[in-house]
Amino acid sequence: MSDVRILGVGMHPWGKWGRNFAEYGVVAARAALADAGLSPSDVQYLAAGNTMRNGYPGYVAGSTLAQALGWSGIPVSSSYAACASGAVALDAARARIRAGQADVALVIGADTAPKGFFGPLPGDRPEDPDWLRFHVLGATNPTYFALYARRRMECFGATPKDFAAVKVKNSRHGLSNPNARYRKLFTEDEIAESPIVADPLRLVDICATSDGAAALVLTSADYAAAHEANSRSVRVAAVSTVTPTYPNTSLDLPDIATDSGVGAPPPPRAFRDSIAHAAYEEASLAPSDLSCAEVYDLSTALELDWYENIGLCEPGGAEALLHSGATTLGGRVPVNPSGGLASFGEAIPAQALAQICELTWQLRGEAGERQVENARVGLAINQGLFGHGSCVILTS
Amino acid sequence: MKPRIPVVAGLFTEDGGQARLLGGHCPRCGAWFFPKQWSFCRNPHCTGVTLDDAELSSRGRLWSWADNRYAPPPPYPARDPFVPYGVAAVELADEQMVVLGQLATGTDPERLSLGQEMELVVEPLFEDDDGLHTVWKWKPGGGS
C-alpha cells in the first residue's frame, strides 16, 4: 500500500476563548498549510471531525470549515467518533490519497466546549445510552474515570499519590508548550488539596474541557518528496480506528452495562489493548520501538492504564514504570511530552489531531524544551465513547 | 402514601417487594442484554432473531465504585441542596456482565471492598408533588 505522509501541522492554542469553533479551525488550518509551504488552493480534499455542541454547523464541520477557508469546490467529509473523531477524519483522508483520488488533503478538528461536565444533548431520549446514564444514574464522564481508577487501586495497589505523580509529570512537560492551556507546575501538596470530584479522583486528576483546534496537511509520498524543500515530512505508519469485538465485557462509556460473556468466545484481547495492537500490526512495529507516546489522559489514573494497553509494561506495572522515570522527558519512552490532556483539557474533535501535531514536531526535532532525544517513532492513542478506537503511529 | 414512579419505564420492577432488572435474553445463544434496547440478539455468532424479556440476577459482586461529590448536569434530577451519591459497578455471575447502579442510600463508600456481595434494591431517586421517583440501586450485603 502506498505511503502517506504529513507535510504540515498547525494548532490554535487551547483555552476557553468563547469564539466559534470554525475560527479556531481556520487558524490551525492556515498554520498547517504555512508549515507545509502550501496554499489553500493546493488542497484537494478536506476531512473534518465534527463537534456535537455547536449546532448544525458542527455536524457538518467539513463544509463549515471549507466555507470558512473560502469555497474551492473540493470534496469534503465530516466524521464523528467522539474523542476519536480526528483519527477517523485522518483515516478518511488517508484512504482518499491511497486510492489515488487526491495528493493533498487537509484534516481539521476544532471545538468550542461548554463549561463544566459534558452533558448529553437536550431532549427526553430513554433509548439513548448517553441520556440514560445521566438521567438514571448521574454517571458523568468522571464517574467512569473514577470507576477505572478505583479498580486500578483495588487490583494493582495504585494510590492517589501515584495518580498525583502523573499530574506532576504532565504539568512539567506542558510548561513550555505554547499551545497548552495550563502552563503551571503542580506539586503533590497542591494536588492533595484539590477538591474530590468523583472519589478517588480530584479536580486536578480530571481533564478540563477546552476550546482549540488542530490541523494536518496529509499528502502522498510522491507529493511530499517533491515538496520536501518546504518542510520535513513524517510518515503515517499506521492508523487504527478499530471498534470492540463482541462480547465487550469491559465497562465502556456511555453504557450502563457491559456485553454478556455468555454464548460467545471471549475476544482475543480487551478493547483498549486491541486499539494499539492493530496499529502495531499495521506498522510492523513493537512497543519497544517507540521513542515517545501521546496517550489520552482523561484522568491521571487512565494514563497508567494506557501504559499497559500500549504494551510499555505488563498489567499492574504502570506505577513502577512511572516512578522509574521512563515515561518522563529524558526517560526511555516519554509519555505525553506535550503535557497531555492535563495541560490542554479536551477539545473533542481536535484532540486526536493535537496528539499527532505533537508527534510530528517531536519526530522533526522541533519540540523545543520538550524535545524527546532522537525521536524516530511516535504513537498516539485515544478512545471515543460509543466504541471508537484511535491509534496513530508516525515514523520519521 | 405517595405513588412510586419508575424514573424510566421498563428497566426494573419491584413487584412483590423484589427488586429486579428487566433485560433481554437470547433463547438461542443464552446472551443477556441490559437494557434490552433492541428486539434482536446482537451476538455476531448467533442467528437468533428474537430476544425474550428476562429478569437479571439481583445479586452480584462489586467490580468497582465511585463517589460523586458534584451535581451532574441535566437530565439528572439533582435536588437542591445536592446530595453526593455513589455509583457501583457490579458483576453478575450467571450473566457474565457488569451492571452500573447508584449505591443504596446510606452506603459508606469507605467501607466497600472489591468482590463483596451486592444486592439490588429499588429506592427513591427523588421526590416531588407527583410522587416518589424510583430507580434501582446496589446495596452491600445480601450475603444471606
Side-chain angles (χ1 to χ4, degrees):
Chain A
M1 196 89 71
S2 61
D3 263 5
V4 171
R5 300 184 73 90
I6 294 172
L7 192 60
V9 292
M11 289 172 68
H12 181 289
W14 262 228
K16 213 73 168 181
W17 311 106
R19 296 202 301 277
N20 186 279
F21 76 97
E23 294 204 16
Y24 312 137
V26 167
V27 168
R30 288 186 175 147
L33 286 167
D35 186 41
L38 301 180
S39 65
S41 60
D42 295 316
V43 177
Q44 298 158 359
Y45 182 71
L46 190 159
N50 287 349
T51 162
M52 291 293 112
R53 299 174 192 282
N54 293 275
Y56 216 132
Y59 303 146
V60 290
S63 70
T64 300
L65 290 163
Q67 183 191 33
L69 284 160
W71 290 123
S72 63
I74 57 169
V76 301
S77 69
S78 303
S79 302
Y80 189 70
C83 302
S85 299
V88 172
L90 166 62
D91 202 38
R94 184 176 74 147
R96 195 95 183 179
I97 292 170
R98 279 181 158 179
Q101 294 173 308
D103 286 316
V104 184
L106 187 56
V107 186
I108 312 173
D111 206 3
T112 304
K115 192 173 166 2
F117 288 118
F118 280 131
L121 297 175
D124 220 22
R125 295 186 314 283
E127 291 187 345
D128 172 353
D130 198 44
W131 182 91
L132 196 63
R133 54 129 171 179
F134 276 98
H135 182 66
V136 174
L137 302 177
T140 61
N141 293 2
T143 304
Y144 287 79
F145 307 156
L147 289 168
Y148 301 141
R150 172 63 63 183
R151 178 85 185 160
R152 197 161 180 92
M153 292 168 71
E154 296 292 321
C155 292
F156 300 138
T159 67
K161 272 185 171 301
D162 296 322
F163 304 155
V166 173
K167 179 74 176 187
V168 171
K169 171 185 76 74
N170 286 346
S171 73
R172 183 174 290 128
H173 287 179
L175 273 181
S176 69
N177 191 336
N179 290 309
R181 175 175 170 192
Y182 303 103
R183 273 167 275 168
K184 166 186 158 45
L185 183 60
F186 277 87
T187 65
E188 284 194 25
D189 288 345
E190 284 172 288
I191 294 165
E193 286 166 15
S194 168
I196 291 175
V197 171
D199 186 74
L201 297 176
R202 297 175 181 277
L203 185 61
V204 297
D205 284 308
I206 296 163
C207 89
T209 64
S210 294
D211 298 359
L216 318 173
V217 175
L218 208 64
T219 72
S220 62
D222 288 347
Y223 191 95
H227 293 77
E228 202 67 27
N230 299 339
S231 176
R232 246 185 80 201
S233 69
V234 299
R235 179 170 170 262
V236 180
V239 179
S240 154
T241 55
V242 296
T243 51
T245 298
Y246 183 92
N248 183 13
T249 51
S250 316
L251 180 66
D252 201 359
L253 284 120
D255 295 327
I256 61 174
T258 65
D259 286 340
S260 156
V262 178
R269 48 192 67 77
F271 178 43
R272 276 211 288 267
D273 294 340
S274 74
I275 301 170
H277 178 81
Y280 286 129
E281 289 273 296
E282 189 194 341
S284 296
L285 291 169
S288 56
D289 294 314
L290 298 184
S291 313
C292 58
E294 287 279 311
V295 308
Y296 218 57
D297 55 322
L298 290 164
S299 81
T300 49
L302 201 61
E303 173 164 322
L304 298 170
D305 288 342
W306 283 122
Y307 290 3
E308 297 158 7
N309 301 136
I310 67 173
L312 295 183
C313 59
E314 292 297 310
E319 287 76 13
L321 187 72
L322 170 74
H323 295 304
S324 77
T327 60
T328 306
L329 275 172
R332 176 170 61 80
V333 54
V335 174
N336 285 331
S338 70
L341 294 175
S343 302
F344 276 77
E346 187 186 16
I348 293 174
Q351 214 65 42
L353 300 176
Q355 292 181 315
I356 296 165
C357 290
E358 174 67 13
L359 293 182
T360 302
W361 285 317
Q362 291 289 350
L363 297 186
R364 287 176 176 171
E366 295 173 356
E369 286 180 46
R370 54 181 205 288
Q371 181 63 47
V372 174
E373 204 179 327
N374 199 26
R376 302 220 176 277
V377 179
L379 174 146
I381 195 159
N382 136 3
Q383 180 188 359
L385 85 172
F386 282 100
H388 291 289
S390 155
C391 185
V392 174
I393 297 177
L394 303 184
T395 58
S396 54
Chain B
M1 215 166 77
K2 284 191 170 181
R4 291 169 76 91
I5 309 162
V7 286
V8 172
L11 288 189
F12 63 96
T13 168
E14 54 179 335
D15 289 352
Q18 176 62 54
R20 292 282 186 183
L21 294 172
L22 303 176
H25 182 241
C26 176
R28 187 172 290 254
C29 75
W32 297 81
F33 300 92
F34 181 73
K36 185 180 173 186
Q37 194 161 9
W38 291 308
S39 59
F40 46 87
C41 179
R42 43 192 211 261
N43 175 359
H45 307 281
C46 177
T47 53
V49 290
T50 58
L51 214 50
D52 295 339
D53 292 321
E55 295 181 349
L56 274 62
S57 301
S58 55
R59 291 170 198 273
R61 298 208 171 268
L62 187 60
W63 186 86
S64 191
W65 66 99
D67 188 25
N68 293 284
R69 308 287 175 84
Y70 285 84
Y76 185 70
R79 301 291 105 179
D80 192 19
F82 167 71
V83 181
Y85 58 96
V87 169
V90 172
E91 199 163 18
L92 308 183
D94 288 348
E95 294 82 354
Q96 297 179 36
M97 67 196 294
V98 172
V99 179
L100 298 184
Q102 284 198 356
L103 281 167
T105 308
T107 304
D108 180 1
E110 300 286 324
R111 299 180 57 133
L112 295 173
S113 58
L114 193 76
Q116 81 174 80
E117 186 150 339
M118 304 293 283
E119 183 182 13
L120 196 78
V121 294
V122 172
E123 285 189 356
L125 183 63
F126 68 97
E127 181 180 350
D128 63 14
D129 293 341
D130 296 334
L132 296 169
H133 296 264
T134 56
V135 72
W136 79 89
K137 297 189 183 185
W138 291 110
K139 184 179 181 173
S144 55

